[in-house]
Amino acid sequence: MSKISEVVQRARAAFNSGRSRPLQFRIQQLEALRRMIKEREKDIAGALAADLHRNEWNAYYEEVVYSLEEIEYTIKHLPEWVLDEPTEKTPQTQQDECYIHSEPMGVALVMGAWNYPFNLTVQPLAGAIAAGNAVIIKPSEVSENVANLLATLIPQYLDKDLYAVINGGIPETTELLKERFDYILYTGSTGVGKIVMTAAAKHLTPVTLELGGKSPCYVDKDCDLDMACRRIAWGKFMNAGQTCVAPDYILCDPSMQNQVVEKLKKAVKDFYGEDAKKSRDYGRIINSRHFQRLMGLIEGQKVACGGTGDAATRYIAPTILTDVDPQSPVMQEEIFGPIMPIVCVRSLEEAIQFINHREKPLALYVFSQNDKVIKKMIAETSSGGVVANDVIVHLSVHSLPFGGVGFSGMGNYHGKHSFIAFSHRRACLVRSLQKNDPLKGRYPPSTAKMTRH
């Protein structure tokens, strides 16, 4: 038996012992996870700096704080979530108990992503623990410093049998996906998402796939452009554009394009100074392969700002492209980097048509002071989530489900939605065995009971 099989079997044996199920145990493990984050905050920040050039402030406020808030919210509300939910009864079940009982799925696999390698691993882990599961954690090997840190820290704070970290690249992940799991949550690319879903299908394992796509950003004429461009620039260039819900491209009227460019440039200068390369707040591309891919997307484009890069440090300047052809390579794939193409459309209807002719994105952003524009955009498009007059912030609302649709993913999590994702909602009906049977009419023979018309 391989080492990976041994780890999975140990987790299953621990789950079958029943010790992950009691509410108090779940809360204790969540409290231990919270303690791990607070006690080892500097180590986490150091690993994020090594992988993604994050400073301590960015590491905390763009990643760690979301994990902490999610854990604290879950601890507070879990005693309420685990209660059985009474349901509406039919006339025939008035004397019965009808309710939904949430039970753990079993052994869950959480596969993290490299762009926010701590939060996108720990946040779903918290949901899986809350639901009473054993969990195998597979951090992304691309952000190797965070992956190694998680492998070191998690056994020091959590139950070693129930919660295990497996590190490695494609061979280890391939072997891991041959194992039978009761639930898989994967965050990453659509291509790998298909591989995960194919592997899960062999065991009929349900999945949540948090993927990506090209999240559009429509900027209406009726708009405070200064505020809009400041918010768009923040969301686009945070983590050097390596955010799954970053605005991927801007749609605006041709008459606005120059203004949008100038206001984006001003915001970039305000955030990162004259030279973003010298800014402590500006990130770096995760590896050389992605650096080369991104520089290739800029080639042949009309560059209004940036466009330069340094292969040695994997730095790419905040870049704005204008008059972008929708058929160009930069518009065919999720950019996942600090490159903002602007595509001109002449109306809201044309923007909606443009969005609907492409795969459904993980997020959609609309900036307008006209409520009718916002409502029309929501009503006539489809995306994982929508934010009007800001970007990304829907992720921070525990009560909102976070997830994709179509090529941007399936299923959702965050807050109670994480608890539901990692639980089986079991339909329960409890009936008395009293002699007076209210449903005696259901028994054969039927001929004596048939009415003639």
Side-chain angles (χ1 to χ4, degrees):
M1 187 189 300
S2 72
K3 184 187 173 188
I4 286 174
S5 291
E6 284 178 14
V7 171
V8 175
Q9 289 206 11
R10 189 164 66 244
R12 190 166 295 283
F15 174 77
N16 289 340
S17 74
R19 73 172 183 263
S20 67
R21 289 175 177 257
L23 172 62
Q24 197 52 45
F25 179 86
R26 303 182 198 188
I27 289 175
Q28 285 169 355
Q29 294 299 302
L30 289 168
E31 287 172 341
L33 192 59
R34 177 174 62 185
R35 193 171 69 253
M36 178 190 89
I37 297 170
K38 289 185 173 181
E39 290 178 359
R40 306 305 288 267
E41 191 184 312
K42 286 201 182 307
D43 295 325
I44 296 164
L48 288 167
D51 284 331
L52 289 152
H53 195 257
R54 296 248 185 92
N55 64 35
E56 257 185 68
W57 192 94
N58 288 339
Y60 186 79
Y61 285 102
E62 292 177 3
E63 185 149 6
V64 173
V65 72
Y66 293 111
S67 297
L68 272 178
E69 288 178 354
E70 179 88 353
I71 293 165
E72 285 165 359
Y73 182 84
T74 302
I75 289 169
K76 179 182 176 182
H77 292 280
L78 189 55
E80 171 195 336
W81 297 345
V82 298
L83 297 176
D84 293 336
E85 297 175 40
T87 61
E88 191 177 343
K89 299 179 184 180
T90 63
Q92 295 79 22
T93 57
Q94 290 301 309
Q95 304 307 310
D96 304 324
E97 277 187 83
C98 298
Y99 59 91
I100 298 166
H101 174 72
S102 294
E103 63 182 23
M105 297 295 284
V107 180
L109 171 62
V110 170
M111 303 178 72
W114 57 259
N115 58 326
Y116 291 87
F118 187 81
N119 182 55
L120 293 179
T121 307
V122 170
Q123 197 165 355
L125 169 62
I129 293 171
N133 298 279
V135 192
I136 303 299
I137 303 123
K138 172 62 181 71
S140 170
E141 72 279 6
V142 178
S143 46
E144 61 179 336
N145 292 283
V146 172
N148 291 334
L149 183 66
L150 287 169
T152 301
L153 294 186
I154 284 176
Q156 294 177 22
Y157 287 85
L158 301 185
D159 185 293
K160 292 181 179 63
D161 296 326
L162 282 165
Y163 315 110
V165 178
I166 291 177
N167 271 333
I170 292 172
E172 290 80 6
T173 305
T174 303
E175 187 181 342
L176 183 61
L177 285 171
K178 289 176 183 174
E179 297 292 327
R180 180 173 182 171
F181 293 97
D182 301 296
Y183 202 88
I184 299 174
L185 187 147
Y186 165 78
T187 305
S189 70
T190 300
V192 177
K194 291 178 182 179
I195 294 169
V196 171
M197 195 171 178
T198 301
K202 291 174 185 171
H203 301 293
L204 293 179
T205 299
V207 296
T208 289
L209 301 177
E210 296 294 346
L211 308 177
K214 295 184 76 62
S215 296
C217 181
Y218 175 68
V219 182
D220 188 38
K221 282 183 176 179
D222 184 3
C223 179
D224 180 339
L225 266 188
D226 290 292
M227 183 63 75
C229 290
R230 191 171 178 84
R231 291 175 178 178
I232 293 165
W234 167 77
K236 178 65 177 183
F237 300 115
M238 174 172 60
N239 199 30
Q242 298 165 118
T243 304
C244 59
V245 287
D248 190 273
Y249 61 94
I250 288 173
L251 295 171
C252 70
D253 190 273
S255 65
M256 297 170 60
Q257 184 174 226
N258 289 341
Q259 274 186 291
V260 169
V261 168
E262 290 310 309
K263 292 181 188 302
L264 285 173
K265 284 164 71 175
K266 182 182 184 305
V268 167
K269 185 179 174 183
D270 288 348
F271 297 161
Y272 307 114
E274 291 286 354
D275 183 0
K277 192 175 184 181
K278 296 176 183 174
S279 170
R280 291 183 68 251
D281 292 302
Y282 192 73
R284 296 296 183 270
I285 305 306
I286 186 71
N287 58 28
S288 296
R289 181 173 68 85
H290 281 286
F291 174 87
Q292 296 298 339
R293 176 186 66 82
L294 289 163
M295 292 304 292
L297 294 179
I298 299 171
E299 284 177 18
Q301 294 295 325
K302 189 174 171 183
V303 177
C305 173
T308 58
D310 175 27
T313 59
R314 304 188 308 279
Y315 164 81
I316 296 178
T319 298
I320 303 166
L321 309 176
T322 55
D323 299 316
V324 174
D325 181 349
Q327 303 308 315
S328 62
V330 76
M331 290 303 294
Q332 303 311 307
E333 62 179 81
E334 182 179 8
I335 295 168
F336 226 66
I339 303 167
M340 177 63 91
I342 300 177
V343 176
C344 292
V345 290
R346 297 190 177 274
S347 66
L348 172 62
E349 288 72 24
E350 189 181 330
I352 289 171
Q353 189 177 42
F354 187 94
I355 292 164
N356 288 340
H357 280 169
R358 284 153 181 78
E359 296 293 350
K360 295 177 180 179
L362 186 56
L364 185 152
Y365 304 114
V366 51
F367 285 81
S368 178
Q369 294 179 133
N370 186 336
D371 195 50
K372 288 182 180 176
V373 169
I374 293 167
K375 292 289 189 277
K376 185 177 175 70
M377 183 64 83
I378 292 172
E380 298 183 15
T381 61
S382 179
S383 63
V386 182
V387 180
N389 297 320
D390 208 341
V391 296
I392 298 178
V393 293
H394 59 305
L395 270 68
S396 65
V397 183
H398 303 295
S399 56
L400 287 175
F402 172 62
V405 58
F407 266 54
S408 59
M410 63 182 65
N412 53 64
Y413 74 116
H414 284 194
K416 188 176 182 180
H417 304 284
S418 295
F419 175 81
I420 292 169
F422 286 103
S423 297
H424 168 56
R425 289 167 61 77
R426 194 176 188 184
C428 299
L429 188 150
V430 180
R431 173 164 286 171
S432 165
L433 269 175
Q434 290 174 349
K435 294 280 187 190
N436 55 331
D437 194 338
L439 298 175
K440 57 188 174 186
R442 68 184 176 178
Y443 301 114
S446 58
T447 48
K449 295 174 281 190
M450 291 180 70
T451 55
R452 295 181 182 276
H453 295 282

